[in-house]
Amino acid sequence: MIRKSLRHVLGVTALGTLVLVAGCSILPKSEPQTRYNLPATAMQSTAVQKNVSLYVAAPQANRLINSNRVLVQPTGSEIQIYKGTQWADNAPVLLRERFVQAFTDTRLFNAVSSDAALKTDFALEGYLSHFQVQYQNDQPVVVVQFDAQLINRLDSSIVQTRRFTLNQPAADTSVPAVIQAFGLASDQLSAQLVDWLAK
């Protein structure tokens, strides 16, 4: 009786294992992903240095932009993604880190942080409405649009605002060329932010 029960248990276990193996074999294979950081070029220190501290927030964005997808807009309002390609983090986070690096390189502020819990004099916030490739005359162009706000954290007032729009053509249609164009556009945006806040 015991041997019969044992054979039954082993048979059921073997059958379950076979089903699992068979099930795994028919599942679709996940596509390999190549992950990219946002390329960045170091900036020179500025002549202007302010004796205040700055908190840099990750820009707000819609769900598509606030993701690790590399977006392309081939025609009209249609949005697609580059298959097999991802950012190393969500795009607004990568852009925030680029801003932090720029302000740290230029030494415009005596302290720069991306930690909201730390006390700072000012905050750079904003909304990222475009961070994608658009095809213009059959050429891929990286389009970045950022509505920036400088906030006085002592009284939560808006000190000043500005919209930044950049268009950076890619050298060709390959993914590495497109990623490089994203980096160049982000470098330009960072430099314009530094110039804006240095005034």
Side-chain angles (χ1 to χ4, degrees):
M1 182 69 178
I2 295 176
R3 289 182 180 179
K4 186 175 181 180
S5 299
L6 184 58
R7 284 198 303 269
H8 177 72
V9 170
L10 291 175
V12 170
T13 304
L15 179 61
T17 304
L18 183 61
V19 169
L20 287 175
V21 171
C24 290
S25 66
I26 62 173
L27 289 176
K29 294 182 179 179
S30 59
E31 185 178 345
Q33 299 290 328
T34 301
R35 289 178 169 80
Y36 290 92
N37 278 311
L38 191 61
T41 304
M43 298 177 62
Q44 300 296 319
S45 60
T46 61
V48 178
Q49 294 189 357
K50 299 189 174 187
N51 190 30
V52 292
S53 54
L54 179 73
Y55 161 64
V56 182
Q60 297 182 38
N62 64 39
R63 287 189 297 174
L64 270 178
I65 293 176
N66 190 19
S67 70
N68 62 357
R69 302 179 182 93
V70 182
L71 304 177
V72 58
Q73 190 172 346
T75 58
S77 58
E78 179 187 3
I79 299 290
Q80 298 178 2
I81 62 173
Y82 280 94
K83 292 183 179 180
T85 304
Q86 291 183 347
W87 293 116
D89 206 330
N90 285 3
V93 174
L94 293 180
L95 198 57
R96 177 195 65 192
E97 296 309 309
R98 178 66 192 100
F99 295 162
V100 169
Q101 180 181 340
F103 289 122
T104 302
D105 288 344
T106 58
R107 300 179 182 176
L108 178 60
F109 299 95
N110 66 1
V112 180
S113 173
S114 59
D115 186 347
L118 298 179
K119 292 183 179 180
T120 59
D121 300 301
F122 294 94
L124 176 65
E125 301 179 3
Y127 188 82
L128 186 63
S129 54
H130 294 287
F131 196 76
Q132 72 251 19
V133 173
Q134 291 182 357
Y135 270 79
Q136 302 175 8
N137 299 320
D138 295 326
Q139 182 182 20
V141 177
V142 170
V143 178
V144 179
Q145 183 169 296
F146 177 56
D147 292 302
Q149 293 183 333
L150 182 66
I151 310 294
N152 186 329
R153 297 192 83 184
L154 300 179
D155 59 9
S156 300
S157 63
I158 299 176
V159 179
Q160 54 183 334
T161 64
R162 182 174 168 182
R163 170 171 288 183
F164 297 87
T165 304
L166 297 102
N167 294 269
Q168 176 61 53
D172 54 58
T173 59
S174 67
V175 170
V178 166
I179 297 299
Q180 186 62 35
F182 271 106
L184 293 173
S186 301
D187 284 346
Q188 294 176 50
L189 175 56
S190 299
Q192 291 183 18
L193 283 171
V194 170
D195 290 343
W196 175 53
L197 296 180
K199 296 177 181 178

